[in-house]
């Protein structure tokens, strides 16, 4: 069958793209054709269907424009897209689609396209990569703290608390987006919602979000088919690694503070983000010579650096939906020290596949890092378990069988 796969980008953009890439290969392996629907971007992988993509929206530039008209432009585009509806209709008039698989479409393509799909009687599944449908801020973080004040559809709390970027206008836009999408019944048109972790499934369920349509299904990851890393160095420094965005919710600041107590343990920080300069300043002021910022790296370079590390640290302080960095580290046979929050404990099983610590607790994290780094036998034990656990959880064929139970026609 022809399967429409919709996502805000058609190029590597994070964990969402890792899933897109894997599920696309999975569909094609099982005899289906994937028809992409996304946004125009020079970084997109080439496709014959690019002419149907919506025009590019650069929210960063729009947000820099402080004029009220720019604010309303951001607001309108993030809620309802007539262009996306027209582009999709043009595509559907050209290609016979039997199934639509939606991913990250909020703020760009928008859920307004659901009406078009429903009019064509196309079955719709939506993989929930974040919490946008129940949290205007998408992460359950408000002013650097976990917040569930919008539970029960009380999205006005996002405005009262200035949840989005700690700014009034973005918070109004985010709140309005949720109200419009729910009041217009867009989500009712979806046949099945897929949650990538038990935690996200239970969280959506606790918000009474279409409980009869929710399914828990771990992502499939054909890692052996994707991996391309350099061979291990025979001799080199022993180090630990962090991979991810340099943002407050990722807990990098807690990790760096923990490294003050471990001056003899080298840490490589891979990634970039809005806190990069602030974190580098803290490292310089505290003369932490054991910390290296590598900047952004290619996927292959990241895999190589993880593969040569003793273990990975994931110090997140938000409700991680899954955490592909952890998955990749474990598939490479690396244990993980992770914070006990969100879906992280589903992969990091304490004292089995890694070690857990309380999010934000720099002292506990420092102790766990010191304990694991100086115990090669424990590293080896946890590493073996981590690989087995990840192979079992994220088996591609198991993921496809799960999709078939939801959509028997597959």
């Amino acid at each position: 069958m022809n399967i429409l796969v919709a996502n805000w980008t058609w190029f590597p953009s994070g964990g969402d793209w890792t899933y897109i890439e894997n599920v696309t290969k999975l569909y094609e392996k099982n005899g289906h054709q994937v028809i992409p629907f996304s946004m125009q971007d020079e970084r997109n992988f080439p496709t014959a269907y690019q002419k149907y993509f919506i025009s590019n929206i650069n929210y960063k530039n729009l947000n820099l424009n402080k004029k009220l008209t720019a604010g309303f432009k951001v607001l309108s585009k993030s809620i309802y897209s007539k262009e996306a509806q027209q582009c999709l209709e043009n595509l559907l008039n050209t290609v016979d689609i039997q199934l639509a698989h939606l991913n990250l479409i909020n703020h760009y393509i928008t859920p307004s396209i659901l009406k078009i799909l429903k009019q064509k009687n196309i079955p719709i599944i939506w993989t929930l990569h974040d919490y946008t449908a129940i949290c205007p801020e998408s992460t359950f973080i408000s002013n650097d703290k976990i917040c569930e004040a919008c539970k029960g559809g009380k999205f006005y709390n996002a405005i009262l608390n200035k949840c989005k970027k700690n700014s009034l206008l973005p918070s109004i836009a985010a709140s309005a987006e949720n109200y419009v999408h729910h009041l217009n019944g867009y989500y009712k048109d979806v046949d099945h919602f897929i949650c990538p972790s038990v935690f996200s499934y239970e969280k959506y369920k606790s918000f009474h979000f279409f409980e009869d349509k929710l399914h828990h299904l771990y992502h499939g990851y054909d890692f052996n088919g994707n991996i391309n890393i350099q061979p291990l160095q025979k001799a080199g420094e022993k180090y630990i690694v962090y991979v991810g965005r340099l943002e407050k919710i990722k807990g990098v600041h807690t990790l760096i503070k923990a490294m003050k107590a471990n001056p003899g343990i080298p840490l490589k920080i891979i990634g970039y983000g809005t806190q990069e300069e602030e974190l580098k300043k803290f490292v310089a002021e505290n003369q932490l010579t054991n910390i290296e910022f590598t900047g952004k790296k290619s996927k292959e370079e990241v895999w190589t650096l993880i593969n040569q590390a003793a273990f990975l640290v994931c110090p997140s302080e938000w409700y991680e939906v899954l955490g592909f960095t952890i998955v990749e580290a474990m598939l490479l046979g690396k244990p993980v020290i992770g914070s006990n929050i969100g879906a992280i404990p589903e992969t990091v099983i304490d004292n089995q596949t890694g070690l857990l610590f309380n999010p934000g607790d720099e002292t506990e994290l420092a102790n766990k890092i010191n304990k694991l780094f100086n115990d090669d036998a424990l590293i080896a034990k946890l590493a073996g378990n981590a690989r087995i656990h990840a192979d079992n959880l994220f088996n591609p064929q198991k993921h496809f069988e799960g999709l078939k139970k939801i959509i028997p026609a597959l």
Side-chain angles (χ1 to χ4, degrees):
M1 65 171 67
N2 290 328
I3 301 174
L4 181 84
V5 175
N7 195 56
W8 75 288
T9 71
W10 206 250
F11 64 87
S13 51
D16 56 303
W17 179 258
T18 301
Y19 177 69
I20 298 296
E21 188 173 42
N22 276 273
V23 80
T24 293
K25 290 179 179 177
L26 201 53
Y27 282 141
E28 291 174 343
K29 179 183 176 182
N30 285 274
H32 305 294
Q33 183 177 0
V34 169
I35 313 297
F37 186 64
S38 187
M39 179 175 66
Q40 299 281 351
D41 196 291
E42 60 184 15
R43 294 166 290 181
N44 282 340
F45 288 119
T47 168
Y49 302 97
Q50 177 119 358
K51 59 185 177 182
Y52 299 107
F53 289 6
I54 67 170
S55 56
N56 189 274
I57 305 170
N58 191 325
Y59 280 121
K60 186 176 181 180
N61 289 343
L62 285 172
N63 289 329
L64 288 173
N65 188 338
K66 301 301 182 182
K67 292 181 180 179
L68 193 60
T69 52
F72 281 118
K73 189 175 183 180
V74 172
L75 177 63
S76 61
K77 280 182 172 288
S78 67
I79 293 177
Y80 179 88
S81 176
K82 191 167 183 63
E83 180 197 6
Q85 288 183 325
Q86 188 60 59
C87 288
L88 180 58
E89 195 152 22
N90 292 339
L91 173 59
L92 297 180
N93 288 335
T94 305
V95 183
D96 184 24
I97 299 292
Q98 286 82 43
L99 173 66
H101 188 161
L102 311 183
N103 293 273
L104 285 181
I105 64 168
N106 288 86
H107 317 314
Y108 295 91
I109 299 172
T110 80
S112 57
I113 65 168
L114 290 165
K115 296 297 181 185
I116 304 298
L117 294 168
K118 206 62 182 176
Q119 287 169 11
K120 301 282 186 178
N121 294 315
I122 297 172
I124 305 167
I125 57 176
W126 190 336
T127 296
L128 299 167
H129 296 276
D130 62 16
Y131 303 104
T132 300
I134 53 178
C135 170
E137 209 286 320
S138 302
T139 63
F140 284 116
I141 293 290
S142 175
N143 303 300
D144 298 332
K145 293 181 180 179
I146 294 289
C147 171
E148 296 187 14
C150 289
K151 196 169 187 176
K154 299 175 183 177
F155 302 125
Y156 59 83
N157 281 304
I159 301 173
L160 297 178
N161 298 323
K162 293 183 181 178
C163 293
K164 201 78 172 179
K165 302 178 182 178
N166 196 27
S167 178
L168 185 60
L169 188 59
S171 299
I172 291 173
S175 179
E177 177 182 350
N178 277 54
Y179 274 121
V180 170
H181 292 166
H182 280 271
L183 292 174
N184 281 337
Y186 288 150
Y187 295 115
K188 292 179 182 177
D189 291 331
V190 177
D191 296 289
H192 304 280
F193 292 99
I194 299 175
C195 300
S197 62
V198 174
F199 181 88
S200 63
Y201 171 79
E202 293 296 342
K203 186 57 63 180
Y204 269 96
K205 194 175 177 182
S206 72
F207 273 63
H208 304 295
F209 182 83
F210 300 97
E211 297 166 72
D212 58 328
K213 296 182 179 183
L214 289 175
H215 305 267
H216 163 243
L217 182 61
Y218 285 118
H219 290 331
Y221 200 163
D222 183 16
F223 198 63
N224 291 326
N226 290 326
I227 192 167
N228 179 20
I229 61 174
Q230 300 301 313
L232 284 170
Q233 297 173 353
K234 292 183 179 179
E237 67 168 334
K238 184 180 179 182
Y239 62 88
I240 64 176
V241 66
Y242 165 87
V243 181
R245 292 182 289 116
L246 306 186
E247 307 291 349
K248 183 72 167 61
I249 66 172
K250 289 295 186 177
V252 198
H253 58 295
T254 299
L255 172 58
I256 287 177
K257 289 176 181 177
M259 296 310 294
K260 288 179 67 177
N262 291 296
I265 300 178
L267 165 68
K268 294 184 187 292
I269 296 177
I270 307 170
Y272 63 101
T274 60
Q275 283 206 313
E276 184 171 354
E277 292 308 314
E278 182 182 333
L279 293 169
K280 285 181 176 178
K281 182 180 178 182
F282 181 88
V283 167
E285 289 177 346
N286 288 273
Q287 300 180 334
L288 301 179
T289 58
N290 59 329
I291 297 177
E292 174 190 354
F293 291 87
T294 72
K296 185 179 181 180
K297 295 288 184 181
S298 70
K299 182 61 75 174
E300 288 75 18
E301 289 173 318
V302 171
W303 286 337
T304 298
L305 286 168
I306 294 176
N307 197 42
Q308 295 176 173
F311 55 85
L312 178 133
V313 182
C314 181
S316 281
E317 295 175 11
W318 74 292
Y319 292 155
E320 287 278 2
V321 176
L322 180 62
F324 258 118
T325 299
I326 294 176
V327 176
E328 291 176 340
M330 288 187 168
L331 289 172
L332 282 167
K334 298 295 173 180
V336 176
I337 294 181
S339 48
N340 192 6
I341 192 171
I344 292 175
E346 295 175 44
T347 46
V348 183
I349 312 300
D350 199 33
N351 287 308
Q352 292 186 39
T353 65
L355 302 176
L356 290 172
F357 73 99
N358 291 315
D361 190 333
E362 62 192 77
T363 302
E364 185 184 11
L365 176 56
N367 292 336
K368 293 291 175 77
I369 289 173
N370 182 63
K371 173 186 177 181
L372 187 56
F373 191 81
N374 293 297
D375 192 337
D376 289 340
L378 181 59
I379 290 176
K381 171 191 169 186
L382 298 180
N385 293 339
R387 177 62 188 265
I388 294 170
H389 184 60
D391 276 337
N392 178 57
L393 233 56
F394 306 103
N395 179 281
Q397 192 55 38
K398 186 181 290 187
H399 181 72
F400 188 71
E401 291 302 320
L403 288 172
K404 283 178 68 174
K405 288 181 181 178
I406 298 169
I407 306 292
L410 284 171

PDB file of all heavy atoms in Angstrom, residues 41-60:
ATOM      1  N   ASP A  41      12.746  22.574   2.565  1.00  0.00           N
ATOM      2  CA  ASP A  41      13.990  22.932   3.247  1.00  0.00           C
ATOM      3  C   ASP A  41      15.151  22.434   2.395  1.00  0.00           C
ATOM      4  O   ASP A  41      15.099  21.313   1.860  1.00  0.00           O
ATOM      5  CB  ASP A  41      14.056  22.285   4.642  1.00  0.00           C
ATOM      6  CG  ASP A  41      15.116  22.917   5.530  1.00  0.00           C
ATOM      7  OD1 ASP A  41      16.319  22.738   5.243  1.00  0.00           O
ATOM      8  OD2 ASP A  41      14.740  23.588   6.504  1.00  0.00           O
ATOM      9  N   GLU A  42      16.181  23.234   2.279  1.00  0.00           N
ATOM     10  CA  GLU A  42      17.324  22.846   1.446  1.00  0.00           C
ATOM     11  C   GLU A  42      18.061  21.639   1.998  1.00  0.00           C
ATOM     12  O   GLU A  42      18.816  20.966   1.285  1.00  0.00           O
ATOM     13  CB  GLU A  42      18.298  24.022   1.307  1.00  0.00           C
ATOM     14  CG  GLU A  42      18.873  24.516   2.608  1.00  0.00           C
ATOM     15  CD  GLU A  42      19.755  25.740   2.448  1.00  0.00           C
ATOM     16  OE1 GLU A  42      19.694  26.378   1.390  1.00  0.00           O
ATOM     17  OE2 GLU A  42      20.504  26.044   3.392  1.00  0.00           O
ATOM     18  N   ARG A  43      17.820  21.317   3.273  1.00  0.00           N
ATOM     19  CA  ARG A  43      18.474  20.159   3.885  1.00  0.00           C
ATOM     20  C   ARG A  43      17.699  18.855   3.657  1.00  0.00           C
ATOM     21  O   ARG A  43      18.173  17.774   4.017  1.00  0.00           O
ATOM     22  CB  ARG A  43      18.643  20.397   5.390  1.00  0.00           C
ATOM     23  CG  ARG A  43      19.599  21.511   5.750  1.00  0.00           C
ATOM     24  CD  ARG A  43      19.472  21.922   7.206  1.00  0.00           C
ATOM     25  NE  ARG A  43      18.207  22.613   7.456  1.00  0.00           N
ATOM     26  CZ  ARG A  43      17.845  23.100   8.639  1.00  0.00           C
ATOM     27  NH1 ARG A  43      18.653  22.940   9.683  1.00  0.00           N
ATOM     28  NH2 ARG A  43      16.685  23.726   8.781  1.00  0.00           N
ATOM     29  N   ASN A  44      16.507  18.937   3.092  1.00  0.00           N
ATOM     30  CA  ASN A  44      15.681  17.749   2.882  1.00  0.00           C
ATOM     31  C   ASN A  44      16.362  16.735   1.974  1.00  0.00           C
ATOM     32  O   ASN A  44      17.062  17.106   1.014  1.00  0.00           O
ATOM     33  CB  ASN A  44      14.340  18.132   2.252  1.00  0.00           C
ATOM     34  CG  ASN A  44      13.360  18.713   3.248  1.00  0.00           C
ATOM     35  OD1 ASN A  44      13.499  18.505   4.445  1.00  0.00           O
ATOM     36  ND2 ASN A  44      12.378  19.443   2.751  1.00  0.00           N
ATOM     37  N   PHE A  45      16.130  15.447   2.243  1.00  0.00           N
ATOM     38  CA  PHE A  45      16.560  14.419   1.314  1.00  0.00           C
ATOM     39  C   PHE A  45      15.695  14.536   0.059  1.00  0.00           C
ATOM     40  O   PHE A  45      14.496  14.815   0.152  1.00  0.00           O
ATOM     41  CB  PHE A  45      16.404  13.026   1.931  1.00  0.00           C
ATOM     42  CG  PHE A  45      17.405  12.741   3.018  1.00  0.00           C
ATOM     43  CD1 PHE A  45      16.992  12.469   4.318  1.00  0.00           C
ATOM     44  CD2 PHE A  45      18.771  12.749   2.748  1.00  0.00           C
ATOM     45  CE1 PHE A  45      17.914  12.216   5.329  1.00  0.00           C
ATOM     46  CE2 PHE A  45      19.692  12.499   3.748  1.00  0.00           C
ATOM     47  CZ  PHE A  45      19.266  12.226   5.042  1.00  0.00           C
ATOM     48  N   PRO A  46      16.280  14.359  -1.102  1.00  0.00           N
ATOM     49  CA  PRO A  46      15.513  14.522  -2.345  1.00  0.00           C
ATOM     50  C   PRO A  46      14.368  13.513  -2.452  1.00  0.00           C
ATOM     51  O   PRO A  46      14.513  12.351  -2.064  1.00  0.00           O
ATOM     52  CB  PRO A  46      16.567  14.292  -3.439  1.00  0.00           C
ATOM     53  CG  PRO A  46      17.685  13.557  -2.780  1.00  0.00           C
ATOM     54  CD  PRO A  46      17.687  13.996  -1.356  1.00  0.00           C
ATOM     55  N   THR A  47      13.243  13.977  -2.941  1.00  0.00           N
ATOM     56  CA  THR A  47      12.078  13.117  -3.146  1.00  0.00           C
ATOM     57  C   THR A  47      11.236  13.681  -4.278  1.00  0.00           C
ATOM     58  O   THR A  47      11.173  14.902  -4.469  1.00  0.00           O
ATOM     59  CB  THR A  47      11.221  13.018  -1.865  1.00  0.00           C
ATOM     60  OG1 THR A  47       9.962  12.413  -2.175  1.00  0.00           O
ATOM     61  CG2 THR A  47      10.961  14.386  -1.261  1.00  0.00           C
ATOM     62  N   ALA A  48      10.579  12.807  -4.995  1.00  0.00           N
ATOM     63  CA  ALA A  48       9.727  13.234  -6.106  1.00  0.00           C
ATOM     64  C   ALA A  48       8.499  13.984  -5.612  1.00  0.00           C
ATOM     65  O   ALA A  48       7.803  14.639  -6.398  1.00  0.00           O
ATOM     66  CB  ALA A  48       9.299  12.003  -6.914  1.00  0.00           C
ATOM     67  N   TYR A  49       8.241  13.923  -4.317  1.00  0.00           N
ATOM     68  CA  TYR A  49       7.029  14.533  -3.765  1.00  0.00           C
ATOM     69  C   TYR A  49       7.295  15.884  -3.090  1.00  0.00           C
ATOM     70  O   TYR A  49       6.416  16.455  -2.471  1.00  0.00           O
ATOM     71  CB  TYR A  49       6.368  13.562  -2.783  1.00  0.00           C
ATOM     72  CG  TYR A  49       6.026  12.248  -3.433  1.00  0.00           C
ATOM     73  CD1 TYR A  49       6.875  11.149  -3.320  1.00  0.00           C
ATOM     74  CD2 TYR A  49       4.874  12.115  -4.211  1.00  0.00           C
ATOM     75  CE1 TYR A  49       6.583   9.945  -3.951  1.00  0.00           C
ATOM     76  CE2 TYR A  49       4.573  10.918  -4.839  1.00  0.00           C
ATOM     77  CZ  TYR A  49       5.428   9.837  -4.711  1.00  0.00           C
ATOM     78  OH  TYR A  49       5.141   8.658  -5.346  1.00  0.00           O
ATOM     79  N   GLN A  50       8.537  16.383  -3.242  1.00  0.00           N
ATOM     80  CA  GLN A  50       8.904  17.651  -2.610  1.00  0.00           C
ATOM     81  C   GLN A  50       8.016  18.808  -3.071  1.00  0.00           C
ATOM     82  O   GLN A  50       7.757  19.745  -2.320  1.00  0.00           O
ATOM     83  CB  GLN A  50      10.375  17.976  -2.917  1.00  0.00           C
ATOM     84  CG  GLN A  50      10.847  19.307  -2.381  1.00  0.00           C
ATOM     85  CD  GLN A  50      11.969  19.170  -1.388  1.00  0.00           C
ATOM     86  OE1 GLN A  50      12.389  18.068  -1.054  1.00  0.00           O
ATOM     87  NE2 GLN A  50      12.455  20.292  -0.902  1.00  0.00           N
ATOM     88  N   LYS A  51       7.522  18.740  -4.292  1.00  0.00           N
ATOM     89  CA  LYS A  51       6.700  19.838  -4.820  1.00  0.00           C
ATOM     90  C   LYS A  51       5.381  19.986  -4.058  1.00  0.00           C
ATOM     91  O   LYS A  51       4.721  21.024  -4.158  1.00  0.00           O
ATOM     92  CB  LYS A  51       6.417  19.612  -6.301  1.00  0.00           C
ATOM     93  CG  LYS A  51       5.689  18.316  -6.636  1.00  0.00           C
ATOM     94  CD  LYS A  51       5.563  18.125  -8.129  1.00  0.00           C
ATOM     95  CE  LYS A  51       4.912  16.791  -8.481  1.00  0.00           C
ATOM     96  NZ  LYS A  51       4.824  16.579  -9.949  1.00  0.00           N
ATOM     97  N   TYR A  52       5.011  18.967  -3.302  1.00  0.00           N
ATOM     98  CA  TYR A  52       3.774  19.034  -2.514  1.00  0.00           C
ATOM     99  C   TYR A  52       4.023  19.512  -1.081  1.00  0.00           C
ATOM    100  O   TYR A  52       3.075  19.695  -0.313  1.00  0.00           O
ATOM    101  CB  TYR A  52       3.095  17.669  -2.472  1.00  0.00           C
ATOM    102  CG  TYR A  52       2.692  17.149  -3.833  1.00  0.00           C
ATOM    103  CD1 TYR A  52       3.392  16.110  -4.434  1.00  0.00           C
ATOM    104  CD2 TYR A  52       1.615  17.712  -4.518  1.00  0.00           C
ATOM    105  CE1 TYR A  52       3.019  15.631  -5.681  1.00  0.00           C
ATOM    106  CE2 TYR A  52       1.239  17.239  -5.774  1.00  0.00           C
ATOM    107  CZ  TYR A  52       1.946  16.196  -6.348  1.00  0.00           C
ATOM    108  OH  TYR A  52       1.587  15.726  -7.590  1.00  0.00           O
ATOM    109  N   PHE A  53       5.296  19.711  -0.704  1.00  0.00           N
ATOM    110  CA  PHE A  53       5.618  20.144   0.655  1.00  0.00           C
ATOM    111  C   PHE A  53       5.179  21.592   0.870  1.00  0.00           C
ATOM    112  O   PHE A  53       5.157  22.400  -0.061  1.00  0.00           O
ATOM    113  CB  PHE A  53       7.124  20.041   0.912  1.00  0.00           C
ATOM    114  CG  PHE A  53       7.646  18.628   1.037  1.00  0.00           C
ATOM    115  CD1 PHE A  53       6.829  17.528   0.791  1.00  0.00           C
ATOM    116  CD2 PHE A  53       8.967  18.393   1.392  1.00  0.00           C
ATOM    117  CE1 PHE A  53       7.326  16.226   0.898  1.00  0.00           C
ATOM    118  CE2 PHE A  53       9.468  17.108   1.510  1.00  0.00           C
ATOM    119  CZ  PHE A  53       8.648  16.026   1.257  1.00  0.00           C
ATOM    120  N   ILE A  54       4.860  21.926   2.119  1.00  0.00           N
ATOM    121  CA  ILE A  54       4.488  23.305   2.432  1.00  0.00           C
ATOM    122  C   ILE A  54       5.732  24.199   2.382  1.00  0.00           C
ATOM    123  O   ILE A  54       6.863  23.710   2.481  1.00  0.00           O
ATOM    124  CB  ILE A  54       3.821  23.420   3.820  1.00  0.00           C
ATOM    125  CG1 ILE A  54       4.828  23.101   4.941  1.00  0.00           C
ATOM    126  CG2 ILE A  54       2.610  22.505   3.922  1.00  0.00           C
ATOM    127  CD1 ILE A  54       4.338  23.427   6.332  1.00  0.00           C
ATOM    128  N   SER A  55       5.529  25.499   2.210  1.00  0.00           N
ATOM    129  CA  SER A  55       6.655  26.420   2.158  1.00  0.00           C
ATOM    130  C   SER A  55       7.330  26.492   3.523  1.00  0.00           C
ATOM    131  O   SER A  55       6.715  26.216   4.557  1.00  0.00           O
ATOM    132  CB  SER A  55       6.197  27.812   1.724  1.00  0.00           C
ATOM    133  OG  SER A  55       5.178  28.284   2.582  1.00  0.00           O
ATOM    134  N   ASN A  56       8.602  26.865   3.518  1.00  0.00           N
ATOM    135  CA  ASN A  56       9.393  26.870   4.746  1.00  0.00           C
ATOM    136  C   ASN A  56       8.915  27.941   5.724  1.00  0.00           C
ATOM    137  O   ASN A  56       8.588  29.059   5.330  1.00  0.00           O
ATOM    138  CB  ASN A  56      10.877  27.095   4.424  1.00  0.00           C
ATOM    139  CG  ASN A  56      11.755  26.895   5.633  1.00  0.00           C
ATOM    140  OD1 ASN A  56      11.968  27.806   6.417  1.00  0.00           O
ATOM    141  ND2 ASN A  56      12.271  25.694   5.779  1.00  0.00           N
ATOM    142  N   ILE A  57       8.868  27.561   6.993  1.00  0.00           N
ATOM    143  CA  ILE A  57       8.506  28.494   8.061  1.00  0.00           C
ATOM    144  C   ILE A  57       9.696  28.588   9.007  1.00  0.00           C
ATOM    145  O   ILE A  57      10.101  27.596   9.613  1.00  0.00           O
ATOM    146  CB  ILE A  57       7.275  28.010   8.851  1.00  0.00           C
ATOM    147  CG1 ILE A  57       6.095  27.760   7.904  1.00  0.00           C
ATOM    148  CG2 ILE A  57       6.897  29.020   9.922  1.00  0.00           C
ATOM    149  CD1 ILE A  57       4.936  27.060   8.577  1.00  0.00           C
ATOM    150  N   ASN A  58      10.285  29.770   9.120  1.00  0.00           N
ATOM    151  CA  ASN A  58      11.415  29.975  10.021  1.00  0.00           C
ATOM    152  C   ASN A  58      10.929  30.726  11.257  1.00  0.00           C
ATOM    153  O   ASN A  58      10.908  31.946  11.291  1.00  0.00           O
ATOM    154  CB  ASN A  58      12.517  30.762   9.314  1.00  0.00           C
ATOM    155  CG  ASN A  58      13.819  30.776  10.111  1.00  0.00           C
ATOM    156  OD1 ASN A  58      13.803  30.803  11.335  1.00  0.00           O
ATOM    157  ND2 ASN A  58      14.938  30.756   9.415  1.00  0.00           N
ATOM    158  N   TYR A  59      10.530  29.964  12.283  1.00  0.00           N
ATOM    159  CA  TYR A  59       9.988  30.581  13.481  1.00  0.00           C
ATOM    160  C   TYR A  59      11.049  31.381  14.236  1.00  0.00           C
ATOM    161  O   TYR A  59      10.731  32.342  14.935  1.00  0.00           O
ATOM    162  CB  TYR A  59       9.390  29.520  14.404  1.00  0.00           C
ATOM    163  CG  TYR A  59       8.014  29.086  13.978  1.00  0.00           C
ATOM    164  CD1 TYR A  59       7.736  27.755  13.672  1.00  0.00           C
ATOM    165  CD2 TYR A  59       6.979  30.001  13.866  1.00  0.00           C
ATOM    166  CE1 TYR A  59       6.473  27.355  13.275  1.00  0.00           C
ATOM    167  CE2 TYR A  59       5.712  29.609  13.473  1.00  0.00           C
ATOM    168  CZ  TYR A  59       5.466  28.291  13.178  1.00  0.00           C
ATOM    169  OH  TYR A  59       4.214  27.903  12.770  1.00  0.00           O
ATOM    170  N   LYS A  60      12.313  30.980  14.088  1.00  0.00           N
ATOM    171  CA  LYS A  60      13.377  31.712  14.777  1.00  0.00           C
ATOM    172  C   LYS A  60      13.420  33.157  14.299  1.00  0.00           C
ATOM    173  O   LYS A  60      13.486  34.089  15.099  1.00  0.00           O
ATOM    174  CB  LYS A  60      14.725  31.032  14.538  1.00  0.00           C
ATOM    175  CG  LYS A  60      15.863  31.650  15.331  1.00  0.00           C
ATOM    176  CD  LYS A  60      17.149  30.865  15.132  1.00  0.00           C
ATOM    177  CE  LYS A  60      18.283  31.476  15.956  1.00  0.00           C
ATOM    178  NZ  LYS A  60      19.558  30.729  15.772  1.00  0.00           N
TER     179      LYS A  60
END
